[in-house]
Amino acid sequence: MAARSGIGKSLTAWFARGHRDLPWRRTTDPYRIWVSEIMLQQTRAQAVIPYYERFLARFPTVESLAAAREDEVLALWSGLGYYSRARNLRKAAIAIRDAGEFPTTFEGIRALAGVGDYTAAAIASIAFGLPHAVVDGNVLRVVARVEDDASDVGAGSTRERFREIVQGWLEVRHPGAFNQALMELGATVCLPRNPMCLVCPVAAMCKSRESGRAAELPVKLRRQEPVHISGELLIVERSGRVLLRQREASASRMAGFWDLPTPGDLPDAKPGAHLGEIRHTITHHRYTWTVRRATFGGRPGKAFRWFAPEEWDAIPFSTTARKALRRAQVHNL
Ligand code: SF4
């Protein structure tokens, strides 16, 4: 236990000495921290930065986000993926505006749309100094290695036990710094394949470093097999504009987004040159799309519209369509 109690101090001291300068680390404003944590849920920090800056330039306050139209929020989110995050963000902004203030307890933050235990702990600790430790895949890896524990992290009982261990490490006087340090350690030092033990601030307390098993941990037994899905996307151009189809309102979490049509959407289209392939992964679904040019002489249905490239930034535009047009070098997206 003596070693354990030193982990929190070592981590926060290491974090204070120097860490990546990320824009959301320069603030304790709960709104800004909340936006960053939602964006970071499934996306790497470096990829989030431009979206975060653009989003906050347009919506600098929770009130401005609450007053925005959903399609405008989705347009700013275009390319980040997992669009239910953007919808929930706007929904929660409306709830916060109506309540009159940002919630200041873990439970209040956890009750916001799109916020789970991890995000609530991150916001509560960083913005309000509340003693809640964050636990995600990176943190589970660090715990398994520090404790040299080969239990299956896919099991709920292991995750709960590991959560209690991290809560025991927490620096209660600096919970925000502790959590950010732990996240930073998982993201930059205790890497999945090549843990950088030589520069690790908790190396002296890490049992798997002693046992030599670090790279084999954590153990995760239950894996979902990836599902492979393939299809075609058509690029139909007329007078410099590209034909796009809007997903139906009830279709999915991508409702309202504009996408390239498939042959099923345009049965009368004549397929032309093969322009390349794109791959896109959403959780365990792996999509492979073949991109083709096509000609279409008829009148498209109500769900379709012709868009010029300069209009694309102002509409919610699917990541798949963006990638396909870039791959096809139709326009410089
Ligand atoms: Fe991870 Fe190595 Fe640090 Fe242990 S010593 S926590 S395995 S980087």
Side-chain angles (χ1 to χ4, degrees), residues 141-147 169 185-186 188-191 194-210 213-215 217:
R141 180 170 66 250
V142 173
V143 178
R145 289 174 173 175
V146 169
E147 295 293 311
W169 292 351
L185 187 80
T188 64
V189 176
C190 196
L191 300 169
N194 298 306
M196 297 158 65
C197 305
L198 287 176
V199 295
C200 177
V202 299
M205 292 156 269
C206 179
K207 294 178 190 162
S208 74
R209 182 171 174 253
E210 264 175 52
R213 289 206 302 175
L217 296 170

Coordinates of all heavy atoms in Angstrom, one line a residue, residues 141-147 169 185-186 188-191 194-210 213-215 217, ligand 1:
R141 N -5.5 -0.6 -18.6 CA -4.2 -1.1 -19.0 C -3.2 -0.8 -18.0 O -2.4 -1.6 -17.5 CB -3.9 -0.6 -20.4 CG -2.5 -1.1 -20.9 CD -2.3 -0.7 -22.3 NE -2.1 0.7 -22.5 CZ -3.0 1.5 -23.2 NH1 -4.1 1.0 -23.7 NH2 -2.8 2.8 -23.3
V142 N -3.2 0.5 -17.5 CA -2.2 0.9 -16.5 C -2.3 0.2 -15.2 O -1.4 -0.3 -14.7 CB -2.3 2.5 -16.3 CG1 -1.4 2.9 -15.1 CG2 -2.0 3.2 -17.6
V143 N -3.6 0.0 -14.8 CA -3.8 -0.7 -13.5 C -3.3 -2.2 -13.7 O -2.6 -2.7 -12.8 CB -5.3 -0.7 -13.1 CG1 -5.5 -1.5 -11.8 CG2 -5.8 0.7 -12.9
A144 N -3.7 -2.9 -14.8 CA -3.3 -4.2 -14.9 C -1.8 -4.4 -14.9 O -1.3 -5.3 -14.3 CB -3.8 -4.8 -16.3
R145 N -1.1 -3.4 -15.4 CA 0.3 -3.5 -15.5 C 1.0 -3.1 -14.1 O 1.9 -3.8 -13.7 CB 0.9 -2.6 -16.6 CG 0.6 -3.1 -18.0 CD 1.0 -2.2 -19.1 NE 0.8 -2.8 -20.4 CZ 1.0 -2.2 -21.5 NH1 1.3 -0.9 -21.5 NH2 0.8 -2.8 -22.7
V146 N 0.5 -2.0 -13.5 CA 1.1 -1.7 -12.2 C 0.9 -2.8 -11.2 O 1.8 -3.1 -10.4 CB 0.5 -0.3 -11.7 CG1 0.9 0.0 -10.3 CG2 0.9 0.8 -12.6
E147 N -0.3 -3.4 -11.3 CA -0.6 -4.5 -10.3 C -0.2 -5.8 -10.8 O -0.3 -6.8 -10.1 CB -2.1 -4.5 -10.1 CG -2.7 -3.2 -9.4 CD -2.1 -3.1 -8.0 OE1 -2.2 -4.1 -7.2 OE2 -1.7 -2.0 -7.6
W169 N -5.8 5.3 -5.6 CA -4.6 6.1 -6.0 C -4.8 7.6 -6.1 O -3.9 8.4 -6.0 CB -4.1 5.7 -7.5 CG -3.6 4.3 -7.7 CD1 -3.3 3.4 -6.7 CD2 -3.4 3.7 -8.9 NE1 -2.9 2.2 -7.3 CE2 -2.9 2.4 -8.7 CE3 -3.5 4.1 -10.3 CZ2 -2.5 1.5 -9.7 CZ3 -3.1 3.2 -11.3 CH2 -2.6 2.0 -11.0
L185 N -0.5 9.4 -19.1 CA 0.4 8.3 -19.0 C -0.1 7.2 -20.0 O 0.7 6.6 -20.7 CB 0.4 7.7 -17.6 CG 1.4 6.7 -17.3 CD1 2.8 7.3 -17.1 CD2 1.0 5.8 -16.1
G186 N -1.4 6.9 -20.0 CA -1.9 5.9 -20.9 C -1.8 6.2 -22.4 O -1.5 5.4 -23.2
T188 N 0.6 8.4 -23.7 CA 1.9 8.7 -24.3 C 3.0 7.8 -23.7 O 4.1 7.8 -24.3 CB 2.2 10.2 -23.9 OG1 2.3 10.4 -22.5 CG2 1.2 11.2 -24.5
V189 N 2.8 7.1 -22.6 CA 3.9 6.4 -22.0 C 3.6 4.9 -21.9 O 4.3 4.0 -22.5 CB 4.3 6.9 -20.7 CG1 5.4 6.1 -20.0 CG2 4.8 8.4 -20.8
C190 N 2.5 4.6 -21.2 CA 2.1 3.2 -21.0 C 1.3 2.7 -22.2 O 0.1 2.4 -22.2 CB 1.4 3.0 -19.7 SG 1.3 1.3 -19.2
L191 N 2.0 2.6 -23.4 CA 1.3 2.4 -24.7 C 0.9 0.9 -24.8 O 1.6 0.0 -24.2 CB 2.2 2.8 -25.8 CG 2.7 4.3 -25.8 CD1 3.8 4.5 -26.8 CD2 1.5 5.2 -26.1
N194 N 4.1 -1.0 -26.9 CA 5.5 -0.8 -26.4 C 5.5 0.2 -25.2 O 5.7 1.4 -25.4 CB 6.3 -0.1 -27.6 CG 6.4 -1.1 -28.7 OD1 6.8 -2.2 -28.6 ND2 6.0 -0.6 -29.9
P195 N 5.2 -0.3 -24.0 CA 5.2 0.6 -22.9 C 6.6 1.2 -22.7 O 7.6 0.4 -22.8 CB 4.9 -0.3 -21.7 CG 5.1 -1.7 -22.2 CD 4.9 -1.7 -23.7
M196 N 6.7 2.5 -22.5 CA 8.0 3.1 -22.4 C 8.4 3.2 -20.9 O 8.5 4.3 -20.3 CB 7.9 4.5 -23.0 CG 7.6 4.4 -24.5 SD 6.8 5.9 -25.2 CE 8.2 7.0 -25.0
C197 N 8.7 2.1 -20.4 CA 9.0 2.0 -18.9 C 10.2 2.8 -18.5 O 10.2 3.3 -17.3 CB 9.2 0.5 -18.5 SG 7.8 -0.5 -19.0
L198 N 11.1 3.0 -19.4 CA 12.4 3.7 -19.0 C 12.1 5.2 -18.6 O 12.8 5.8 -17.8 CB 13.4 3.7 -20.1 CG 14.1 2.4 -20.3 CD1 15.0 2.4 -21.5 CD2 14.9 2.0 -19.1
V199 N 11.0 5.8 -19.2 CA 10.7 7.2 -18.9 C 9.4 7.3 -18.0 O 8.8 8.3 -17.9 CB 10.5 8.0 -20.2 CG1 11.8 8.1 -20.9 CG2 9.4 7.5 -21.1
C200 N 8.9 6.2 -17.5 CA 7.6 6.2 -16.8 C 7.8 6.7 -15.3 O 8.7 6.2 -14.6 CB 7.1 4.8 -16.8 SG 5.5 4.7 -15.9
P201 N 6.9 7.6 -14.9 CA 7.0 8.2 -13.6 C 6.6 7.2 -12.5 O 6.9 7.4 -11.3 CB 6.1 9.4 -13.6 CG 5.1 9.0 -14.7 CD 5.8 8.2 -15.7
V202 N 5.9 6.1 -12.8 CA 5.6 5.1 -11.8 C 6.3 3.8 -11.9 O 5.9 2.8 -11.3 CB 4.0 4.9 -11.7 CG1 3.3 6.2 -11.4 CG2 3.5 4.3 -13.0
A203 N 7.4 3.8 -12.7 CA 8.1 2.6 -13.0 C 8.5 1.9 -11.7 O 8.5 0.7 -11.5 CB 9.3 2.9 -13.8
A204 N 9.0 2.7 -10.7 CA 9.5 2.1 -9.4 C 8.4 1.3 -8.7 O 8.7 0.5 -7.8 CB 10.1 3.2 -8.5
M205 N 7.1 1.6 -9.0 CA 6.0 1.0 -8.3 C 5.3 0.0 -9.1 O 4.2 -0.5 -8.7 CB 5.0 2.1 -7.8 CG 5.6 3.0 -6.7 SD 4.8 4.6 -6.6 CE 5.8 5.5 -7.7
C206 N 5.8 -0.3 -10.3 CA 5.0 -1.1 -11.3 C 5.5 -2.5 -11.2 O 6.6 -2.9 -11.5 CB 5.3 -0.5 -12.7 SG 4.4 -1.5 -14.0
K207 N 4.5 -3.4 -10.8 CA 4.9 -4.8 -10.6 C 5.2 -5.6 -11.9 O 6.0 -6.5 -12.0 CB 3.8 -5.5 -9.8 CG 3.6 -5.0 -8.4 CD 2.5 -5.7 -7.7 CE 2.2 -5.0 -6.4 NZ 0.8 -5.3 -5.9
S208 N 4.5 -5.2 -13.0 CA 4.7 -5.9 -14.2 C 6.0 -5.6 -14.9 O 6.6 -6.3 -15.7 CB 3.6 -5.7 -15.2 OG 3.6 -4.5 -15.8
R209 N 6.5 -4.4 -14.5 CA 7.9 -4.0 -15.0 C 8.9 -5.0 -14.4 O 9.8 -5.4 -15.1 CB 8.2 -2.6 -14.7 CG 9.5 -2.2 -15.2 CD 9.8 -0.7 -15.1 NE 11.1 -0.4 -15.5 CZ 12.1 -0.1 -14.7 NH1 11.9 0.0 -13.4 NH2 13.3 0.1 -15.2
E210 N 8.7 -5.3 -13.1 CA 9.6 -6.2 -12.4 C 9.4 -7.6 -13.0 O 10.4 -8.3 -13.2 CB 9.2 -6.3 -11.0 CG 10.0 -5.4 -10.1 CD 9.4 -5.5 -8.6 OE1 9.2 -6.6 -8.1 OE2 9.1 -4.4 -8.1
R213 N 6.2 -8.8 -17.6 CA 5.0 -9.1 -18.3 C 4.2 -7.9 -18.9 O 3.1 -8.1 -19.4 CB 4.0 -9.9 -17.4 CG 4.5 -11.3 -17.0 CD 3.3 -12.1 -16.6 NE 2.5 -11.6 -15.5 CZ 1.4 -12.1 -15.1 NH1 0.9 -13.2 -15.7 NH2 0.7 -11.6 -14.1
A214 N 4.8 -6.7 -18.7 CA 4.0 -5.5 -19.1 C 3.4 -5.6 -20.5 O 2.2 -5.3 -20.6 CB 4.9 -4.3 -19.0
A215 N 4.1 -6.0 -21.5 CA 3.6 -6.0 -22.8 C 2.5 -7.0 -23.0 O 1.7 -6.9 -24.0 CB 4.7 -6.2 -23.8
L217 N 0.0 -7.5 -20.9 CA -1.2 -7.0 -20.2 C -1.7 -5.7 -20.8 O -1.0 -5.0 -21.4 CB -0.8 -6.7 -18.7 CG -0.3 -7.9 -17.9 CD1 0.3 -7.5 -16.6 CD2 -1.4 -8.9 -17.7
Ligands
SF4_1 FE1 3.3 1.0 -17.9 FE2 5.9 0.4 -17.9 FE3 5.0 2.5 -16.5 FE4 4.5 0.0 -15.7 S1 6.5 1.0 -15.8 S2 3.0 1.7 -15.8 S3 4.2 -1.0 -17.7 S4 5.0 2.3 -18.7

